[in-house]
């Protein structure tokens, strides 16, 4: 099984939901004899109604937004933090941060994908538990970070958070 899930467009999501009758649409929509809705006539609000009714989309969007917020903050501030608060020279900070920021996410995706595949994949019954577990572990590794005054320990915690 592939580690990368294909990305589907909003149009495909809406079409699948209408076809599977998961979401009610307005009665004024044009349907053909097979019960298919002409998506060209689907209003913007109708599209939003279908999209917001998909809880997996909402939760995934919130999780990815949170992830990008944290990772962007780390990438922007961590080198200054190491240099000013932990008094580490610039070259050491840049080399170590480059190693951590490349190896941790790549290994996290590979190992995480392998683990998720072993437990039934992204649509399996254990997928949500695994996501909560991975997210909780990252949070636990990040909590002691502000109290750490050792560069090596900070790098290890950073690697575990980005993993």
């Amino acid at each position: 099984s592939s580690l990368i899930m294909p990305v589907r467009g909003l149009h495909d999501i809406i079409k699948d939901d209408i076809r599977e009758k998961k979401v009610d649409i307005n009665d004024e929509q044009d349907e053909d004899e097979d019960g298919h809705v002409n998506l060209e006539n689907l209003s913007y609000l109708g599209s939003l109604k279908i999209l917001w009714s998909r809880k997996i989309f909402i939760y995934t969007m919130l999780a990815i937004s949170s992830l990008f917020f944290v990772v962007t903050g780390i990438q922007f501030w961590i080198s200054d933090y190491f240099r000013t608060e932990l008094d580490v020279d610039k070259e050491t900070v840049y080399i170590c941060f480059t190693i951590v920021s490349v190896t941790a996410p790549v290994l996290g995706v590979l190992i995480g994908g392998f683990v998720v595949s072993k437990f039934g994949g992204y649509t399996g019954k254990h997928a949500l538990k695994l996501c909560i577990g991975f997210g909780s572990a990252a949070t636990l590794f990040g909590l002691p970070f502000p109290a750490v005054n050792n560069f090596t320990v900070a790098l290890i915690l950073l690697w575990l958070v980005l993993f």
Side-chain angles (χ1 to χ4, degrees):
S1 109
S2 175
L3 295 177
I4 300 173
M5 291 177 41
V7 178
R8 296 183 339 152
L10 174 59
H11 189 267
D12 293 333
I13 291 171
I14 292 169
K15 193 164 50 173
D16 288 349
D17 280 352
I18 292 171
R19 188 178 306 120
E20 296 171 15
K21 303 287 188 204
K22 289 181 182 175
V23 173
D24 291 332
I25 57 171
N26 297 332
D27 291 334
E28 67 263 9
Q29 301 297 328
D30 295 336
E31 292 186 11
D32 62 13
E33 59 276 355
D34 296 327
H36 295 118
V37 175
N38 181 357
L39 293 178
E40 301 301 322
N41 294 335
L42 189 60
S43 70
Y44 178 72
L45 290 177
S47 298
L48 285 180
K49 178 182 176 185
I50 293 169
L51 186 61
W52 283 97
S53 69
R54 294 188 55 115
K55 290 182 178 158
I56 192 69
F57 169 78
I58 300 300
Y59 296 143
T60 304
M61 178 194 60
L62 291 173
I64 288 179
S65 297
S66 299
L67 174 73
F68 286 155
F69 178 79
V70 170
V71 169
T72 302
I74 288 171
Q75 290 174 342
F76 187 75
W77 291 108
I78 200 71
S79 58
D80 288 340
Y81 176 78
F82 285 153
R83 288 181 24 232
T84 59
E85 298 300 319
L86 300 182
D87 293 325
V88 181
D89 66 284
K90 186 168 37 172
E91 290 78 22
T92 303
V93 168
Y94 293 155
I95 289 169
C96 290
F97 180 67
T98 300
I99 291 168
V100 166
S101 65
V102 169
T103 60
V106 169
L107 288 174
V109 166
L110 294 174
I111 293 170
F114 177 76
V115 169
V116 169
S117 293
K118 287 295 180 188
F119 283 94
Y122 291 100
T123 58
K125 63 181 180 178
H126 299 293
L128 183 59
K129 292 176 187 174
L130 287 170
C131 288
I132 291 171
F134 288 140
S136 298
T139 301
L140 289 175
F141 292 128
L143 287 175
F145 197 88
V148 171
N149 293 324
N150 182 300
F151 180 62
T152 304
V153 174
L155 276 178
I156 291 169
L157 289 173
L158 179 63
W159 193 93
L160 291 169
V161 167
L162 294 177
F163 178 75

